[in-house]
Amino acid sequence: MSIDVYLNFNGNTRQAVEFYAEVFETEPPSIMTFGETPPDPNYPLPEEAKDLVMHTRLNIMGSNVMFSDVFPGMPHTVGNNITLAIVSKDIELLKSLFHKLKEGGKIGMELQETFWSQLYGNLTDKFGIQWQINHEDNENK
């Protein structure tokens, strides 16, 4: 299990991650855009979101650092654009941590299956720290 940092940018994630990959001499990042996600007829994807980065990550000096653009219309405040991501193969542990962290906090997305993970959820704890809880299996990158 690990706790990874997740950085959010306001439309310039691609430039940021390419910059950090060069600075830290990592492998070039594999980038998934919002436009590459499975379509949902209930929530059509705005044109301005299609080329934005939904997810990418770099291994920087042994630590996973993940990156994404905020979705159009979502708030972005420089300095508050960092979340901590708990990534584990242990589903019961992830559920337990989520339920403990949500006490007195605010759930952004209840734990659920997504197209990228068997279990994912996010919340802001009672101290204002943003957390992502993500199941990792051998299929995830």
Side-chain angles (χ1 to χ4, degrees):
M1 181 172 71
S2 63
I3 296 179
D4 301 329
V5 65
Y6 208 114
L7 305 174
N8 297 112
F9 294 85
N10 197 19
N12 61 344
T13 295
R14 188 177 303 273
Q15 295 90 339
V17 75
E18 288 171 354
F19 171 76
Y20 295 129
E22 186 177 314
V23 167
F24 293 103
E25 300 178 358
T26 70
E27 293 291 319
S30 174
I31 295 175
M32 175 189 281
T33 65
F34 285 105
E36 295 172 304
T37 63
D40 183 341
N42 297 317
Y43 301 99
L45 189 64
E47 193 63 37
E48 67 269 22
K50 290 182 179 178
D51 291 329
L52 294 177
V53 175
M54 181 183 165
H55 177 77
T56 187
R57 73 174 159 190
L58 297 174
N59 187 289
I60 298 175
M61 302 174 70
S63 294
N64 281 320
V65 180
M66 298 180 285
F67 304 79
S68 71
D69 283 312
V70 294
F71 198 77
M74 298 297 290
H76 177 269
T77 304
V78 174
N80 291 343
N81 55 327
I82 298 172
T83 61
L84 298 177
I86 299 173
V87 181
S88 175
K89 295 177 183 185
D90 186 336
I91 288 178
E92 292 308 313
L93 174 64
L94 292 173
K95 288 179 180 178
S96 174
L97 292 171
F98 186 88
H99 293 295
K100 290 176 185 177
L101 286 167
K102 77 177 184 181
E103 291 301 318
K106 181 179 177 187
I107 295 173
M109 181 176 178
E110 189 62 62
L111 285 174
Q112 60 190 275
E113 186 170 344
T114 65
F115 70 88
W116 72 84
S117 177
Q118 186 178 347
L119 188 71
Y120 175 84
N122 64 61
L123 59 87
T124 302
D125 72 19
K126 63 184 174 184
F127 299 105
I129 303 300
Q130 297 177 56
W131 295 89
Q132 296 183 59
I133 307 296
N134 194 42
H135 177 257
E136 180 179 52
D137 59 27
N138 294 336
E139 305 280 319
N140 291 348
K141 300 213 180 233

